[in-house]
Amino acid sequence: PSDFMASILGGFSSRISHYRVEQPAKPSDFMASTLAKDDGRTSCDEHDHAILPPEPFLRPPLRFVFRGYSIWLDLEQSAVDANGQGDLDRAVSDCAMMYNVHPIPAPHVTALYGIAFDDESELRRIFSSELMPVILEERGKRMRTTGDDLEGACWPDLDATGFLVDTEFEGRDGGTMDMSWAEITMRTSPEHEALLDRIHDLFQGTSRDAETNKHPPRRAAWVPHLSICYDNPEVKLCHKKFIKFIEERCPTLRGAVDESDQSSVKFSRRVKGLSLWKTTGTMSEWICLSEFEFPKRYSGRRL
């Protein structure tokens, strides 16, 4: 609808600012009481202690060189404080402090990574004016199928299924990046896959198949996850420490690390909007180009 698009474009914001990493403050008493000294280079699964010294030193920035542009899903946050920081913002910053690493610029779930586009202004135009109609079209299809207006969110909610702390090396055992990381794992669905197919076709690749006149198809199903922490791959993040951190510092995420809970869904989060990032270079060089939130009347079920 024209009035809907006017509200989207009218409220559309653009943040063109480099993310800067600053030296973290001294950990809280909680951090100091739960962290013990180790060599900082091996997983604490091989030891019974955490890996940070009492007086923290900041580890080197993530060296891996990323590519292209990315579209992130921005999740609804709870317990937002006077500074506008929510539970996910605090999880990212506190986890970085715990591991002595540079924090991720913002909590996010990546919808599309490595978009190759020569004309950045054209990419931003597509993001601001062509993406939302595609999302609304897919929303309409879902509502006609379910007949339930409560399911009419612009983006279907994301279900958390657990957590993962891991390390990979580019080119080794299928690895595509050099990094260690900690994440909350989530699951995809046919509705999510339909959206990702449309977004891929809209953004990914500038060439088309000569016979079908379509972009090359996506090569694999979506693997959604909420990134909490990144580090260089030679340092394995301690998964026991991550569990303890979530249990004691992140009550809204606690279900994801409850290994006694055998249910397939630990909790769900609403997707409140999208953001476009230039992710060329190292993490410290990432730039948020544009972002928008979905209007409340298209929010669907609110969790």
Side-chain angles (χ1 to χ4, degrees):
S2 58
D3 60 337
F4 169 75
M5 290 308 299
S7 68
I8 282 288
L9 299 178
F12 196 81
S13 64
S14 177
R15 291 188 303 176
I16 307 177
S17 58
H18 285 275
Y19 173 65
R20 292 287 183 259
V21 178
E22 297 181 356
Q23 186 79 13
K26 185 175 180 179
S28 63
D29 291 340
F30 162 79
M31 294 294 185
S33 68
T34 58
L35 306 181
K37 187 173 182 179
D38 193 25
D39 60 15
R41 299 188 64 80
T42 58
S43 170
C44 67
D45 291 335
E46 301 169 12
H47 309 278
D48 289 328
H49 303 289
I51 58 178
L52 297 186
E55 293 296 328
F57 59 91
L58 190 62
R59 293 182 185 166
L62 185 63
R63 296 186 306 272
F64 184 76
V65 177
F66 297 81
R67 59 183 173 81
Y69 300 85
S70 298
I71 294 175
W72 290 359
L73 306 182
D74 300 323
L75 303 186
E76 185 176 62
Q77 301 200 44
S78 62
V80 178
D81 62 22
N83 297 318
Q85 299 294 295
D87 63 327
L88 303 184
D89 296 312
R90 290 188 292 274
V92 166
S93 60
D94 289 354
C95 192
M97 182 179 293
M98 179 186 69
Y99 284 122
N100 286 344
V101 299
H102 295 267
I104 297 171
H108 66 277
V109 176
T110 300
L112 199 60
Y113 162 71
I115 300 172
F117 226 93
D118 294 331
D119 187 342
E120 185 175 296
S121 62
E122 174 64 7
L123 176 66
R124 294 175 65 176
R125 186 198 65 78
I126 293 173
F127 180 82
S128 64
S129 62
E130 296 187 26
L131 177 57
M132 197 65 208
V134 167
I135 292 174
L136 285 178
E137 183 179 337
E138 290 300 316
R139 172 183 177 273
K141 292 179 182 177
R142 294 194 304 274
M143 291 183 64
R144 287 192 294 272
T145 299
T146 63
D148 184 357
D149 187 60
L150 287 177
E151 299 294 344
C154 287
W155 196 286
D157 294 340
L158 286 170
D159 296 330
T161 58
F163 74 100
L164 178 65
V165 179
D166 206 351
T167 298
E168 74 174 25
F169 293 87
E170 186 177 17
R172 186 187 301 178
D173 299 324
T176 59
M177 300 179 181
D178 293 330
M179 65 189 312
S180 294
W181 75 94
E183 68 179 44
I184 303 298
T185 58
M186 296 177 164
R187 68 178 183 181
T188 187
S189 68
E191 294 76 19
H192 289 122
E193 293 299 316
L195 271 168
L196 267 292
D197 283 340
R198 294 293 303 279
I199 293 176
H200 179 275
D201 192 55
L202 184 63
F203 287 101
Q204 191 67 283
T206 56
S207 61
R208 293 175 177 266
D209 183 271
E211 295 183 1
T212 64
N213 195 37
K214 293 182 178 180
H215 294 307
R218 291 167 57 215
R219 289 180 289 183
W222 189 36
V223 186
H225 56 275
L226 174 62
S227 300
I228 302 294
C229 183
Y230 295 155
D231 199 0
N232 290 303
E234 63 272 14
V235 180
K236 297 180 180 179
L237 299 178
C238 173
H239 107 275
K240 290 181 181 178
K241 186 189 296 185
F242 184 70
I243 292 174
K244 185 176 181 64
F245 167 75
I246 295 295
E247 288 176 342
E248 298 191 10
R249 299 288 289 181
C250 307
T252 58
L253 305 179
R254 191 175 296 147
V257 300
D258 184 358
E259 296 178 301
S260 66
D261 181 3
Q262 299 302 310
S263 61
S264 59
V265 177
K266 310 299 184 179
F267 60 84
S268 297
R269 278 293 170 109
R270 186 177 73 89
V271 178
K272 68 175 185 178
L274 300 172
S275 54
L276 173 67
W277 287 73
K278 185 174 184 178
T279 48
T280 301
T282 60
M283 185 174 71
S284 63
E285 297 175 286
W286 291 356
I287 304 170
C288 181
L289 299 176
S290 292
E291 60 182 353
F292 63 81
E293 291 191 9
F294 301 132
K296 293 291 189 272
R297 58 176 168 158
Y298 289 93
S299 65
R301 181 181 289 119
R302 193 174 183 84
L303 298 171

